[in-house]
């Protein structure tokens, strides 16, 4: 027997009661009105109920089968798959998770990293600092579409602009230069 | 239905024994007899796996080899499928805890994050309460999944049709044992099978004779 847990929404409860009522009376919920379609067996029937006519024109035999005929030849499981067969399929080594052998230790921070991927911790650090620099840039520009056509240089505590950074835009960050941000 | 089902949480003690008031019977300066009842609703029933941490072995004799520490930990009602969680449990069975944490960190599955938290909690418990000296000296002896409580919900399809879907939860159990992981069993070769066959032939006896 089906176990239905009535949801608390009132309109859903009324709708469900109507659905169940229709089901008990033998009408499909999708149909409005009193008619119900023929309740055939749920499994596909093997072949057509009538025999094909023995005398047929050659033109008719070359016709492609109509949609109704092709529905009767749908693929359907013949027998229930036993739990032993299911276990063989689910547990064979093809479907198990493979052990990864490309995990190393990051030389900078000591966390684990994959060999072909950047270290997650170091990348998070860089991302945080970049976000703060971008906030400073945003404050300097003041609005969208105000990006200047010159390069940008980031200077930390106690650093001065050199002659090379003549025409460039300078962003000040009031903290010590991080070890991974190399100054040119 | 038992009357307990409509009495919520901690009120069952007072409503069952409403007629008896222990504080009126006792004189001053004595312990309440019912003060040791644990009436919180969150701890409904202690699971068997949690109880395994409470067993106490008798002290070992001087000559015996040291019994390795065992730590049982679990997490209940994880919102994940038990079949999908089983693949992760099978992955880390028999590994050392460092290797298991490394594999889980780079796995893309949702259950990997949960199992990693469980392993870290168990490692912490081992060092604090179970007298484990080195937190890396642990290996995973057993790792299992179990079915949690399923709830059924309506899933609405088109044309007024509906289906009943199950919201699936699982439990995850792990047993950590102190010491390096045991070496993996060598696979059975044809030579081993042949030796066993010959030994079985040699073990035969003739019935009803001397």
């Amino acid at each position: 027997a089906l176990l239905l847990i009535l949801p608390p929404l009132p309109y859903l409860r009324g709708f469900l009661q109507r659905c169940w009522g229709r089901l008990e009376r033998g009408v499909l919920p999708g149909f409005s009105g009193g008619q119900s379609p023929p309740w055939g067996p749920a499994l596909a029937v093997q072949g057509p109920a009538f025999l094909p006519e023995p005398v047929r024109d050659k033109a008719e035999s070359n016709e492609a089968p109509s949609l109704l005929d092709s529905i009767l030849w749908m693929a359907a499981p013949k027998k229930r798959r036993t739990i032993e067969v299911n276990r063989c399929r689910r547990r064979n080594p093809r479907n198990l998770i493979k052990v990864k052998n490309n995990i190393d230790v990051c030389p900078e921070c000591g966390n684990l990293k994959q060999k072909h991927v950047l270290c997650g911790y170091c990348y998070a650090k860089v991302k945080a600092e970049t976000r703060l620099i971008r906030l400073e840039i945003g404050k300097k520009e003041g609005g969208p579409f105000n990006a200047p056509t010159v390069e940008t240089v980031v200077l930390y505590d106690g650093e001065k602009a050199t002659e090379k950074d003549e025409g460039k835009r300078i962003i000040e960050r009031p903290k010590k230069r991080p070890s991974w941000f190399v100054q040119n | 239905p038992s009357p307990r089902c409509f009495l919520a949480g901690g009120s069952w003690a007072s409503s069952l024994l409403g007629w008896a008031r222990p504080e009126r019977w006792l004189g001053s300066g004595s312990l309440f007899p019912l003060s040791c009842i644990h009436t919180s609703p969150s701890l409904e029933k202690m699971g068997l796996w949690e109880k395994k941490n409470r067993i106490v072995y008798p002290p070992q004799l001087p000559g015996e080899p040291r019994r390795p520490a065992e730590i049982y930990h679990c997490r209940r009602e994880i919102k994940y499928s038990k079949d999908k969680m089983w693949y992760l449990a099978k992955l880390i069975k028999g590994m050392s805890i460092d290797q298991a944490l490394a594999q889980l960190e780079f796995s893309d599955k949702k259950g990997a994050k949960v199992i990693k938290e469980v392993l870290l909690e168990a490692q912490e418990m081992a060092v604090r309460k179970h007298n484990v000296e080195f937190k890396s000296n642990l290996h995973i002896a057993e790792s299992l999944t179990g079915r949690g409580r399923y709830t059924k919900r309506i899933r609405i399809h088109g044309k007024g049709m509906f289906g009943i879907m199950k919201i699936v939860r699982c439990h995850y159990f792990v047993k950590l044992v102190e010491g390096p992981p045991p070496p993996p069993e060598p696979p059975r070769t044809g030579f081993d099978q042949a030796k066993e066959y010959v030994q079985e032939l040699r073990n035969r006896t003739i019935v009803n004779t001397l």
Side-chain angles (χ1 to χ4, degrees), chain A residues 14-89:
Chain A
F15 157 76
L16 279 174
Q17 279 169 352
R18 270 176 275 126
C19 274
W20 272 118
R22 275 196 233 140
L23 272 173
E24 275 159 25
R25 266 175 275 131
V27 180
L28 260 189
F31 280 76
S32 58
Q35 320 127 0
S36 67
W39 287 76
L43 296 170
V45 182
Q46 271 309 307
F50 54 89
L51 290 169
E53 296 151 9
V55 178
R56 286 181 121 220
D57 296 339
K58 285 206 181 140
E60 277 184 22
S61 59
N62 291 339
E63 249 176 52
S66 60
L67 186 64
L68 285 173
D69 288 334
S70 63
I71 285 175
L72 300 170
W73 268 274
M74 291 254 110
K78 192 72 179 177
K79 281 278 178 190
R80 183 204 154 117
R81 274 166 156 182
T82 58
I83 184 66
E84 296 90 4
V85 166
N86 281 337
R87 278 198 194 119
C88 288
R89 183 185 67 254

Side-chain angles (χ1 to χ4, degrees), chain B residues 111-168:
Chain B
K113 200 165 149 188
V114 174
I115 296 186
K116 197 167 161 209
E117 286 168 22
V118 174
L119 285 183
L120 289 170
E121 273 173 20
Q123 200 184 36
E124 176 69 18
M125 255 166 57
V127 172
R128 262 187 309 130
K129 295 192 206 166
H130 291 81
N131 190 26
V132 163
E133 202 180 344
F134 302 112
K135 69 175 189 180
S136 286
N137 198 23
L138 293 161
H139 69 271
I140 292 155
E142 285 168 25
S143 111
L144 320 159
T145 54
R147 173 193 190 277
R149 286 206 198 148
Y150 292 180
T151 45
K152 294 191 190 169
R153 291 286 179 264
I154 310 284
R155 191 213 181 263
I156 303 176
H157 297 257
K159 288 193 186 174
M161 305 283 216
F162 64 94
I164 308 178
M165 70 175 179
K166 297 186 290 195
I167 300 199
V168 145

Side-chain angles (χ1 to χ4, degrees), chain A residues 1 24 41 62-63 68 79 99 114 122 124 141 152-153 178 184:
Chain A
E24 275 159 25
N62 291 339
E63 249 176 52
L68 285 173
K79 281 278 178 190
V99 178
Q114 283 194 296
C122 302
E141 286 178 3
T152 311
V153 167
N184 290 335

Side-chain angles (χ1 to χ4, degrees), chain B residues 60-209:
Chain B
Q60 286 192 285
L61 305 168
E64 270 183 75
R66 188 178 171 131
R67 188 184 290 121
E70 294 172 345
I71 300 102
Y72 294 88
H73 193 42
C74 65
R75 190 177 281 201
R76 306 276 183 180
E77 309 286 335
I78 305 166
K79 178 67 195 76
Y80 200 47
S81 159
K82 68 171 172 28
D83 300 310
K84 297 177 193 169
M85 190 70 115
W86 181 83
Y87 287 110
L88 289 160
K90 177 82 182 148
L91 174 71
I92 62 173
K93 222 180 265 191
M95 284 188 181
S96 70
I97 196 160
D98 292 332
Q99 195 190 1
L101 289 167
Q103 294 295 322
L104 292 169
E105 187 167 334
F106 296 106
S107 165
D108 297 321
K109 301 204 165 235
K110 170 171 153 182
K113 200 165 149 188
V114 174
I115 296 186
K116 197 167 161 209
E117 286 168 22
V118 174
L119 285 183
L120 289 170
E121 273 173 20
Q123 200 184 36
E124 176 69 18
M125 255 166 57
V127 172
R128 262 187 309 130
K129 295 192 206 166
H130 291 81
N131 190 26
V132 163
E133 202 180 344
F134 302 112
K135 69 175 189 180
S136 286
N137 198 23
L138 293 161
H139 69 271
I140 292 155
E142 285 168 25
S143 111
L144 320 159
T145 54
R147 173 193 190 277
R149 286 206 198 148
Y150 292 180
T151 45
K152 294 191 190 169
R153 291 286 179 264
I154 310 284
R155 191 213 181 263
I156 303 176
H157 297 257
K159 288 193 186 174
M161 305 283 216
F162 64 94
I164 308 178
M165 70 175 179
K166 297 186 290 195
I167 300 199
V168 145
R169 292 188 188 90
C170 66
H171 306 310
Y172 178 68
F173 309 97
V174 72
K175 171 179 167 187
L176 299 174
V177 170
E178 199 176 2
E185 267 184 40
R188 247 180 115 195
T189 59
F191 185 67
D192 292 324
Q193 286 177 313
K195 266 201 311 191
E196 278 169 32
Y197 176 64
V198 170
Q199 191 55 39
E200 267 183 44
L201 291 177
R202 290 197 174 131
N203 289 345
R204 297 177 298 181
T205 51
I206 304 172
V207 187
N208 293 332
T209 50

